[in-house]
Amino acid sequence: MSTDPEVPRPGQLDEDDLLLANALQATPRATWSELGPVLGLDPVTLARRWDRLQSNGLAWVTPALGPGLLYRTCRAFVEIHCEPGSAAQVAAELSREPHLLTIQHVAGTYDLFAIAFTPDFPSMSDYLLTGLPRHEGVVRVRSHLVTRNFRTGSQWRLGVLNQRQERALRSTRPEPHGAETAAYSNWERDLIVALSDDGRLRYTDIATRLGVTPRTVQRRLNRLLGNRDLLLRCDVARPLAGWPTGALLWLNVPDELLEEAGRTLGAFPETRSCAALSGASNLLVTVTLHSVDALHDWAVQLRQALPYAEIADRSVVLRQDKLCGHLLDGWGRSRGVVPLDIWRPSGLSR
């Protein structure tokens, strides 16, 4: 986190800010008229509040790959070792690549942690073997292919809504329908890229960008969301929302208990993501915490819930430079976006 005296600390997000962001985590494209009665705020007030949050980079809605596309693409967690003193420059350069959706500086046995996405296994192999290692300042790359997802960052919640509000929001959420087998097309790719700037972009604005009708946009987006090929997530500047600390824990779990461990860890409120991996450390859990001190207590909770799990390594996140395509400053605010376009062939090798 930046301590530059010329960059004053921004104010914390207040309770109404967090309520609104939490509501949009549950229903990212809900109208202000739908959210007003649930949150007890006037729709016009909600619209103005969201405009302030979004324009200041304090909260935003962005697309993320859903279960349908996750299992038709390839994902890897990557540890990057950098030359001494070069980690900041390497992270800044890598942040511009669409295939690295998330980049973090960590305190641990490596310098940077990244999440890489490519359309398929051959392109992931090319990227990890020839693309990433050629970047100036990169000394070594160690990768872990994801074999199963138990929880993704799109499912993490701020946890400030009460039960009544959560029930009311569930009633406004469209129900997913059965997955279709239609081939993925460039049109859906263009839609995802357009939503990268603003996941709440109006149908008419998207239609203007893509040269189609608003009705076509609505139909195609509903199909992507209904099939759960695509998810929409609301993210916030976590250090300003009371969650300034993140950590990664690499676990060794008996293979026959991997499913149980993933489901158990996925249910912890602090868990942002939990995934099975191809390596000796076969489970990675990432958590968001209120303080660095809380990591010890969380690890104790983990061991109590999963006495058979061995913590092979753990790292504290020092700073996050990129989150699901959004470029972040030292306070976790969005200061730009690299569109979610993992299908772009350029950049897979240098």
Side-chain angles (χ1 to χ4, degrees):
M1 184 178 300
S2 173
T3 57
D4 189 335
E6 296 182 358
V7 182
R9 177 186 176 91
Q12 297 289 112
L13 280 76
D14 65 28
E15 188 68 20
D16 286 339
D17 293 336
L18 296 177
L19 279 172
L20 175 54
N22 199 168
L24 290 178
Q25 288 178 328
T27 55
R29 287 185 65 88
T31 67
W32 306 130
S33 296
E34 291 172 332
L35 294 180
V38 177
L39 302 181
L41 295 169
D42 179 80
V44 174
T45 300
L46 287 176
R48 290 175 177 167
R49 183 176 289 270
W50 178 249
D51 183 66
R52 175 182 60 81
L53 291 174
Q54 186 179 38
S55 62
N56 290 322
L58 296 169
W60 57 93
V61 172
T62 190
L65 301 187
L69 280 177
L70 281 176
Y71 287 105
R72 284 151 51 195
T73 56
C74 192
R75 182 165 64 132
F77 296 133
V78 187
E79 304 169 34
I80 302 173
H81 299 253
C82 303
E83 293 178 356
S86 69
Q89 182 60 39
V90 171
E93 182 179 353
L94 293 180
S95 291
R96 297 295 174 178
E97 297 200 359
H99 302 93
L100 293 180
L101 269 64
T102 291
I103 299 177
Q104 300 171 334
H105 296 259
V106 296
T109 56
Y110 49 98
D111 300 296
L112 302 175
F113 171 82
I115 303 177
F117 278 86
T118 61
D120 48 43
F121 184 79
S123 56
M124 179 63 78
S125 298
D126 180 45
Y127 189 56
L128 295 177
L129 293 174
T130 66
L132 272 180
R134 292 182 184 176
H135 279 275
E136 184 177 354
V138 173
V139 174
R140 184 162 65 92
V141 172
R142 183 185 182 198
S143 56
H144 311 260
L145 295 176
V146 176
T147 60
R148 190 175 308 172
N149 296 285
F150 299 109
R151 184 180 176 91
T152 66
S154 303
Q155 297 170 273
W156 184 78
R157 299 291 182 262
L158 286 163
V160 295
L161 294 169
N162 59 42
Q163 292 184 351
R164 178 192 62 78
Q165 291 168 324
E166 290 178 349
R167 287 194 300 269
L169 288 173
R170 279 196 293 269
S171 67
T172 69
R173 188 184 310 155
E175 291 294 328
H177 51 74
E180 300 175 10
T181 57
Y184 190 81
S185 72
N186 286 335
W187 199 97
E188 279 88 359
R189 170 184 170 182
D190 292 341
L191 175 56
I192 293 173
V193 169
L195 287 169
S196 296
D197 289 329
D198 180 3
R200 288 182 56 84
L201 203 63
R202 295 180 299 180
Y203 296 129
T204 53
D205 294 332
I206 300 173
T208 299
R209 290 190 185 192
L210 302 184
V212 296
T213 67
R215 176 58 185 156
T216 299
V217 172
Q218 183 178 15
R219 184 177 68 253
R220 295 294 183 90
L221 180 56
N222 286 343
R223 183 175 75 83
L224 283 174
L225 295 174
N227 289 350
R228 293 181 61 77
D229 285 337
L230 182 70
L231 301 175
L232 292 173
R233 53 186 279 174
C234 178
D235 286 304
V236 300
R238 293 202 297 268
L240 303 178
W243 297 89
T245 303
L248 304 96
L249 294 95
W250 305 83
L251 308 180
N252 296 333
V253 176
D255 287 329
E256 65 273 16
L257 297 173
L258 190 62
E259 191 81 25
E260 174 191 295
R263 289 197 305 268
T264 299
L265 291 173
F268 287 8
E270 299 87 355
T271 298
R272 284 193 61 82
S273 67
C274 183
L277 309 175
S278 58
S281 295
N282 58 355
L283 195 66
L284 174 65
V285 57
T286 68
V287 297
T288 300
L289 303 167
H290 292 299
S291 67
V292 175
D293 295 346
L295 177 57
H296 172 74
D297 294 336
W298 197 90
V300 171
Q301 181 184 0
L302 182 155
R303 294 303 304 271
Q304 290 174 343
L306 305 174
Y308 50 80
E310 174 192 356
I311 300 177
D313 195 10
R314 69 183 82 182
S315 303
V316 172
V317 177
L318 298 174
R319 189 177 73 200
Q320 184 139 344
D321 282 8
K322 190 177 184 183
L323 173 63
C324 202
H326 277 255
L327 305 175
L328 308 184
D329 68 8
W331 297 106
R333 296 173 296 187
S334 175
R335 287 296 180 252
V337 62
V338 177
L340 180 60
D341 189 7
I342 67 169
W343 301 271
R344 195 174 79 186
S346 60
L348 286 179
S349 61
R350 294 169 61 86

